[in-house]
Amino acid sequence: MIRFPSSLRNRFPALKEPVVVDAQSKSWQNGSPNDEPPFPARTPSYDVLEAIRAGQPVKATIHEALDGEDHCVVSRDFRLFYGDSQALFDISMRVPRGRVTALIGPSGCGKSTFLRSVNRLNDLIEGVRVEGELTMNGRPVYDPDVDVIDLRKRTGMVFQKSNPFPMSIFENVVYPLRIDGERRRKVLAEACERALQGAAIWDEVKDRLNESALGMSGGQQQRLCIARAIAAEPEVLLMDEPCSALDPIATGKIEELIHEISQRYTVLIVTHNMQQAARVSDYTAFMYLGRLVEMGPTGDLFQTPRLPETEQYITGRFG
Amino acid sequence: MTTTTTPIMRRRGSRGGRGEPMVWVSLLALGSCVAMIVALIALIVGQGFSTFWPRPIEELTLTSGEILLGVPVRTESAGETDNPDGPPARRTLFRVGNKEITGQPFRWIPESEIVSSTLPTDAVLVERTAWGVWLGRLEQILEVSGDERTVVAEGDVAWAQLPAALKAARHRAREIESLREGDVGEINAKLESARLKFRVAQLRHEDGDLSDEQLKRAEQTLAERSTELQAEYDGIRARIDELDREDSRSRVVFREPGSGAISPLSSNQLDEPMRLTQVVRVVRTNNLSLAGRLGVYCSRWWEFLSTGPREANTEGGVLPVILGTVALTMLLSVIVVPLGAVAAVYLREYAHQGFMTSAVRIAVNNLAGVPSIVYGVFGLGFFCYSVGGWIDTGPRAPMSTGSWWTLAAGAGVALAGTITLMMSARTAPGVVPSGRQRTYGMLAKVGWLSVALLVMALLATTPYFKGFYRAMAPTPKFGAKGLLWSALTLALLTLPVVIVATEEAIAAVPRSMREASAGCGASKWQTIQRIVLPRAAPGMMTGMILAMARGAGEVAPLMLVGAVKQTSDSVISAEPPFVHLDRPFMHLGFHIYDLGFQSPDSEAARPTVWTTTLLLIVIVLMLNTTAILLRGRLRRRFRTGAF
Ligand SMILES: Nc1ncnc2c1ncn2[C@@H]1O[C@H](COP(=O)(O)OP(=O)(O)O)[C@@H](O)[C@H]1O
Ligand SMILES: [Mg+2]
């Protein structure tokens, strides 16, 4: 039987009583429950989360659909420590190439940490230590002789809060090329236009490329950051809650954009918004307290999660 | 389901919540600070601006029958009076000038002694190139040749002709001046350089580099050159004498009403009327319209700002003082800002934030508390005497060649070892070093430090270097007070300010910016260079502003390392290298101290003290305003329009 933390129980009176989910009658979407495929016949057990909370090792439930994919980022028993406190526990995740993979889970479960492990941005934080294995395109990310700079050049990153540099729009977009020493005006201009078009913002800013990026609206700034992230044609695009600070219209634009981008890049996106995950991603991974719980094709995970815990999270019962 | 909640009783009577008492306390604190500052500034501005305003000249008749002219300066109560019922006794300080006659140009006169006082329209105040002002009446313009005196003009005619005569005189004076300073100075410099050349030859002869033959030839060259220059000098001297003779013929008589004395040519020729060229300005104050007064006022300011001082600094202008102050301040910021910024970057960005960095930070902050005179002593001992002496004449205690080479070999070994360590600590760009490599890196840092120290020791004790200015010895070139050493000393003094300000500015650069840059694949240095430093620039400017204000206002250390009462050669001049780092200079702060406390005639110096103080404040204000405007422009770049 699940026992929610007292804070949660107090906030959601429904959680005060033990909840037994009637899997058959539960639907997560509008529409007739009868059209829904039935959940896999298995006894509902809430042991997984309980075990995680108790600190016991738990094996992640990975859907078979993933086996058929070509994987870009692969982690095996990946653990990460902030000083003495462990933030990631034995994460074994495969991120398929050319797909959008969403990371979901309650706050503080390590989504951002995992994302930042892929391009080793956590190296900037003092006292971070990793164990286990993480590879990108078959090449280990944490080998001692890995060129971190080069690794980061092969990944683009978009942050939760848009962070354009205090420079012109043009200089913002071509920043990755500038630090590579690119000076040819023509190359820069082309890359800038390509990236801005890729980020669906070209039409809005093409006449004011030399104006400060800080004068743009929040949504524009975030799309500019996406343009910057894709300007140097990275292999993997990491997005950490890119829409959390934006209004619905800007969010819609960026979701569309992610959809378009996904044809060319491997995208790993963290989101708090279930609908967003459902809309933009091909695969979804559910994490909890630093562990990977379940991962599978988004449709399957949302409609027929293997674990009731996943289903509970998706339907907003906790988290 | 029943819910029972305990109602929260909110207390309404708490003292802190009523009437905002802190508003009044803080207002009072701010108010008293502002009041004190405003009072100080108002005093300086008031006194500074009123000094040059032409004041009336009173003609006084005293109870003793004495008649004199005087400009009232200020009045005060004289304390005890004989008659307790009558009005309090008061006395007035008059500027009576005429120092050659009176001996004291300022005089307190009790009100009770004044029988009558008028404002004669024809009384003039004559500002002279020497001996302060003369108060009297214009009598004659004279033409003197030998013992014969011809009156050119008299009375009102003379007054009408005076401006033109003064203009002509000034023209002559300038011509003589340019010959004296320019041409003669040039010849002197040439002669000096010829002598130096010979001295160098002599020294090289002593070292065995030159043969007797060559030395003899050098001596001969010097002799030839000397004769040549002497001839040139004689020519100029003759021209100067001629001009001077001509100049000495134009005289002017200003007579004092009391004793009937005239403004003399010099203090031991009291009967000889003064030359026209000795007059700086003649003002009939009582006869001036407002516009006329304003004209005099402006011309005095212009003279103050555009000429050099005379009369032990109490008269004339402060141009060299301004130049010295500005040169020092500029040089100081050019030195301290890059130095402090680089140090702060290392401290904040590269150094491991641990015990050592905290210790360094505390030490730097404590440097700010060291009395500035201590910096002066250090600057004098280290920069002037040690470094400057080394530049002039080489190491004072050179090692023997044997031990020096041994030390050099040691330094070489240390260098080789350090380079080896560095090579083993080096990783491909972007690769995080392993634990062992990190240890090597640490050792390499220590190695570099010791190599640097060894190299310094080698330089300081080399037996092969005899100094750049040995020929000038024992006259020091760099081994004495100078602009460079002052700037370095003040740089040291203001380094904490710059480091702290820069560090704070760097720390304030948001983490998201660094992460964005790192995420794009920028190396640490690229991030610092392209993101952190531009964003920290306004903060660095703050440091620079503080350093500059300090540098412009500091006095104590400068007395030891560079500021002097008077200079013959300005630190900024038209001859290369334009800014003369080795020269001592005049400085506004020191000038104020010198005028106020070292002047033989403090009453005469008083007005100049105020104007100089005002000027110093205005210069600091201007420097700061420029920097603040610049900072504002930089800051605007970082303001975001989106929230
Ligand atoms: N810089 C840090 N130092 C120490 N602990 C951190 C740091 N960043 C995150 N953590 C911890 O790591 C855990 C995972 O954080 P995070 O990855 O940011 O979660 P999420 O993105 O899923 O909300 C949290 O418990 C958080 O407290
Ligand atoms: Mg997060």
Side-chain angles (χ1 to χ4, degrees):
Chain A
M1 188 150 300
I2 184 165
R3 279 219 299 281
F4 291 96
S6 61
S7 60
L8 280 180
R9 259 182 282 149
N10 290 342
R11 229 166 343 129
F12 304 105
L15 297 182
K16 278 187 178 156
E17 312 295 324
V19 182
V20 178
V21 179
D22 182 359
Q24 296 297 331
S25 68
K26 183 69 202 157
S27 84
W28 68 281
Q29 254 184 340
N30 297 337
S32 157
N34 297 335
D35 301 341
E36 301 275 331
F39 282 100
R42 59 146 87 199
T43 39
S45 83
Y46 299 106
D47 288 347
V48 175
L49 301 187
E50 189 82 339
I52 288 177
R53 276 197 291 270
Q56 290 158 6
V58 170
K59 200 155 166 41
T61 309
I62 310 287
H63 293 214
E64 295 75 22
L66 271 157
D67 298 340
E69 292 280 357
D70 174 22
H71 300 292
C72 179
V73 175
V74 178
S75 75
R76 221 161 279 124
D77 291 333
F78 187 74
R79 295 176 293 276
L80 185 140
F81 302 81
Y82 287 113
D84 291 334
S85 76
Q86 191 170 358
L88 296 179
F89 297 82
D90 307 311
I91 304 270
S92 297
M93 195 188 294
R94 289 170 295 170
V95 180
R97 188 188 310 283
R99 303 269 186 267
V100 179
T101 303
L103 286 178
I104 61 171
S107 272
C109 71
K111 306 180 295 291
S112 302
T113 303
F114 183 75
L115 205 68
R116 294 157 56 92
S117 302
V118 175
N119 67 349
R120 290 186 64 167
L121 213 53
N122 283 328
D123 288 11
L124 298 184
I125 299 166
E126 225 161 285
V128 168
R129 186 160 54 83
V130 299
E131 288 170 7
E133 195 182 299
L134 185 70
T135 60
M136 194 169 113
N137 291 329
R139 279 177 284 180
V141 168
Y142 280 93
D143 262 15
D145 58 348
V146 167
D147 181 345
V148 181
I149 303 282
D150 184 57
L151 174 80
R152 290 188 190 140
K153 281 179 181 158
R154 288 188 281 123
T155 56
M157 181 135 190
V158 179
F159 297 81
Q160 178 168 4
K161 202 172 163 296
S162 63
N163 49 6
F165 300 127
M167 314 169 177
S168 69
I169 294 173
F170 179 82
E171 286 301 327
N172 258 284
V173 178
V174 301
Y175 185 78
L177 286 83
R178 281 256 190 245
I179 56 178
D180 286 349
E182 183 61 71
R183 274 154 190 257
R184 284 166 295 169
R185 191 75 205 168
K186 193 154 160 285
V187 175
L188 292 174
E190 278 170 13
C192 176
E193 176 168 354
R194 203 173 334 115
L196 286 171
Q197 247 152 11
I201 193 180
W202 171 251
D203 291 330
E204 288 165 62
V205 301
K206 63 169 182 262
D207 300 324
R208 41 186 276 216
L209 290 178
N210 289 320
E211 283 173 34
S212 167
L214 300 183
M216 308 164 86
S217 76
Q220 285 176 325
Q221 286 190 1
Q222 190 62 302
R223 277 181 288 153
L224 179 71
C225 291
I226 295 176
R228 185 176 65 196
I230 61 178
E233 302 281 343
E235 295 160 21
V236 181
L237 193 58
L238 307 170
M239 307 178 106
D240 193 349
E241 302 185 37
C243 302
S244 66
L246 301 183
D247 61 81
I249 293 172
T251 304
K253 282 190 183 163
I254 290 190
E255 281 179 10
E256 243 171 69
L257 178 61
I258 294 169
H259 195 74
E260 278 167 32
I261 282 175
S262 70
Q263 333 243 304
R264 284 184 288 143
Y265 303 103
T266 304
V267 179
L268 190 56
I269 178 172
V270 171
T271 176
H272 258 309
N273 182 326
M274 294 308 126
Q275 280 78 30
Q276 188 172 68
R279 281 194 297 266
V280 303
S281 67
D282 304 307
Y283 287 90
T284 299
F286 169 50
M287 292 175 68
Y288 185 67
L289 289 188
R291 287 187 168 84
L292 178 62
V293 178
E294 184 172 350
M295 182 173 184
T298 301
D300 293 355
L301 200 87
F302 276 76
Q303 287 170 35
T304 57
R306 302 259 171 96
L307 298 179
E309 296 82 358
T310 312
E311 198 255 341
Q312 287 230 324
Y313 179 73
I314 289 168
T315 54
R317 293 297 183 81
F318 78 96
Chain B
M1 204 152 56
T2 57
T3 51
T4 55
T5 50
T6 316
I8 296 166
M9 302 292 283
R10 299 216 44 192
R11 291 177 54 207
R12 297 186 186 284
S14 86
R15 209 177 305 159
R18 264 184 319 183
E20 293 291 338
M22 275 318 283
V23 171
W24 297 106
V25 175
S26 50
L27 183 66
L28 212 67
L30 178 68
S32 36
C33 295
V34 170
M36 281 190 281
I37 292 168
V38 166
L40 179 65
I41 300 284
L43 181 70
I44 292 168
V45 169
Q47 294 280 359
F49 276 121
S50 62
T51 295
F52 288 148
W53 189 253
R55 275 175 240 192
I57 306 168
E58 293 184 10
E59 181 156 18
L60 306 170
T61 314
L62 304 186
T63 44
S64 63
E66 191 183 349
I67 294 174
L68 71 151
L69 290 170
V71 178
V73 178
R74 61 178 182 276
T75 305
E76 62 177 37
S77 89
E80 299 291 305
T81 62
D82 308 336
N83 178 6
D85 299 328
R90 298 171 65 76
R91 56 178 194 166
T92 305
L93 182 67
F94 284 94
R95 180 171 204 186
V96 293
N98 309 8
K99 202 168 165 187
E100 298 96 321
I101 316 294
T102 57
Q104 48 185 44
F106 287 84
R107 188 165 152 193
W108 285 104
I109 301 177
E111 247 173 26
S112 54
E113 285 180 21
I114 300 175
V115 177
S116 75
S117 125
T118 57
L119 296 175
T121 53
D122 58 347
V124 292
L125 179 108
V126 186
E127 290 167 33
R128 304 178 296 177
T129 52
W131 291 91
V133 301
W134 182 272
L135 289 163
R137 288 189 172 81
L138 173 63
E139 207 171 79
Q140 293 167 331
I141 297 177
L142 293 178
E143 191 76 28
V144 178
S145 61
D147 286 339
E148 197 179 314
R149 290 184 186 179
T150 329
V151 176
V152 175
E154 229 167 346
D156 282 343
V157 185
W159 178 252
Q161 284 186 5
L162 190 62
L166 278 178
K167 201 167 171 192
R170 214 160 285 145
H171 190 77
R172 274 199 306 276
R174 253 202 299 273
E175 203 173 337
I176 295 173
E177 180 75 8
S178 94
L179 280 176
R180 266 203 190 118
E181 299 275 302
D183 298 14
V184 174
E186 213 170 280
I187 288 174
N188 275 335
K190 278 181 193 160
L191 196 62
E192 190 57 39
S193 102
R195 279 208 194 102
L196 272 179
K197 245 182 227 156
F198 173 66
R199 178 83 186 115
V200 169
Q202 243 179 346
L203 286 167
R204 286 181 63 192
H205 179 251
E206 274 170 30
D207 292 350
D209 289 352
L210 285 187
S211 63
D212 294 350
E213 179 80 8
Q214 284 167 310
L215 182 66
K216 203 151 272 155
R217 211 175 308 142
E219 198 167 359
Q220 208 171 340
T221 318
L222 174 65
E224 279 165 20
R225 188 88 178 113
S226 298
T227 341
E228 207 175 291
L229 288 168
Q230 186 61 46
E232 207 175 316
Y233 173 77
D234 289 342
I236 292 168
R237 188 69 241 176
R239 174 93 186 106
I240 290 176
D241 287 344
E242 189 192 322
L243 279 172
D244 195 63
R245 257 196 310 281
E246 193 182 316
D247 183 60
S248 78
R249 287 164 52 188
S250 312
R251 307 288 182 89
V252 60
V253 178
F254 293 105
R255 195 176 294 281
E256 196 208 26
S259 62
I262 60 166
S263 172
L265 187 62
S266 70
S267 60
N268 47 23
Q269 289 172 288
L270 292 179
D271 293 331
E272 282 287 311
M274 74 191 289
R275 291 186 191 189
L276 266 168
T277 36
Q278 289 174 312
V279 175
V280 175
R281 189 184 289 103
V282 182
V283 191
R284 266 188 183 174
T285 322
N286 299 343
N287 208 16
L288 277 180
S289 64
L290 188 67
R293 275 168 209 251
L294 208 63
V296 170
Y297 180 73
C298 292
S299 98
R300 278 179 180 166
W301 265 111
W302 175 243
E303 186 202 346
F304 183 67
L305 295 177
S306 65
T307 64
R310 23 184 187 88
E311 298 284 290
N313 292 351
T314 58
E315 301 278 330
V318 290
L319 182 67
V321 195
I322 298 175
L323 289 183
T325 309
V326 171
L328 174 75
T329 311
M330 295 292 170
L331 194 60
L332 150 73
S333 27
V334 165
I335 295 170
V336 76
V337 171
L339 194 66
V342 171
V345 164
Y346 186 84
L347 205 56
R348 178 60 64 176
E349 292 282 330
Y350 287 109
H352 172 76
Q353 301 294 315
F355 172 74
M356 275 305 275
T357 38
S358 302
V360 168
R361 217 164 269 145
I362 289 171
V364 164
N365 280 324
N366 278 329
L367 271 184
V370 174
S372 56
I373 191 75
V374 175
Y375 285 93
V377 173
F378 172 78
L380 184 68
F382 181 69
F383 291 130
C384 298
Y385 293 161
S386 300
V387 182
W390 184 85
I391 292 174
D392 279 357
T393 55
R396 212 173 308 163
M399 274 189 202
S400 67
T401 17
S403 38
W404 190 79
W405 278 108
T406 318
L407 192 65
V413 170
L415 183 67
T418 304
I419 290 177
T420 319
L421 274 172
M422 226 180 53
M423 290 310 229
S424 6
R426 220 176 55 166
T427 58
V431 175
V432 177
S434 70
R436 187 189 296 169
Q437 280 174 323
R438 226 168 289 157
T439 317
Y440 287 162
M442 281 270 290
L443 288 175
K445 276 183 210 165
V446 175
W448 277 124
L449 217 70
S450 20
V451 168
L453 285 174
L454 278 174
V455 168
M456 270 191 248
L458 282 173
L459 283 176
T461 57
T462 173
Y464 297 104
F465 178 61
K466 292 284 188 336
F468 294 114
Y469 302 101
R470 188 159 59 124
M472 278 176 70
T475 316
K477 174 115 173 139
F478 279 97
K481 286 178 170 188
L483 180 64
L484 179 63
W485 305 138
S486 302
L488 280 171
T489 305
L490 286 194
L492 204 64
L493 180 87
T494 48
L495 203 56
V497 178
V498 176
I499 290 183
V500 169
T502 311
E503 249 208 289
E504 267 167 21
I506 289 175
V509 175
R511 180 185 205 97
S512 66
M513 288 293 147
R514 297 161 198 269
E515 289 191 337
S517 177
C520 288
S523 68
K524 184 143 195 164
W525 169 240
Q526 282 171 326
T527 303
I528 292 174
Q529 179 197 9
R530 288 163 187 268
I531 306 297
V532 176
L533 286 185
R535 257 200 93 111
M540 286 191 239
M541 294 284 293
T542 308
M544 189 173 101
I545 292 168
L546 293 172
M548 278 184 1
R550 183 93 194 258
E554 193 63 72
V555 179
L558 294 178
M559 295 200 313
L560 297 179
V561 292
V564 289
K565 187 183 171 78
Q566 261 167 346
T567 53
S568 48
D569 305 306
S570 175
V571 278
I572 297 180
S573 72
E575 66 215 71
F578 308 114
V579 178
H580 303 272
L581 297 179
D582 59 309
R583 290 184 183 169
F585 56 95
M586 296 179 77
H587 182 267
L588 282 167
F590 181 72
H591 198 68
I592 293 169
Y593 164 76
D594 178 60
L595 283 172
F597 300 98
Q598 306 287 297
S599 184
D601 187 351
S602 70
E603 207 51 72
R606 187 193 284 260
T608 329
V609 172
W610 288 117
T611 40
T612 312
T613 310
L614 179 66
L615 190 68
L616 177 57
I617 289 179
V618 169
I619 286 182
V620 170
L621 203 73
M622 263 165 21
L623 289 174
N624 281 359
T625 312
T626 323
I628 287 168
L629 286 179
L630 222 63
R631 182 175 66 182
R633 274 179 63 128
L634 286 174
R635 271 199 187 139
R636 261 200 298 286
R637 280 179 39 207
F638 308 124
R639 227 168 267 153
T640 175
F643 291 99

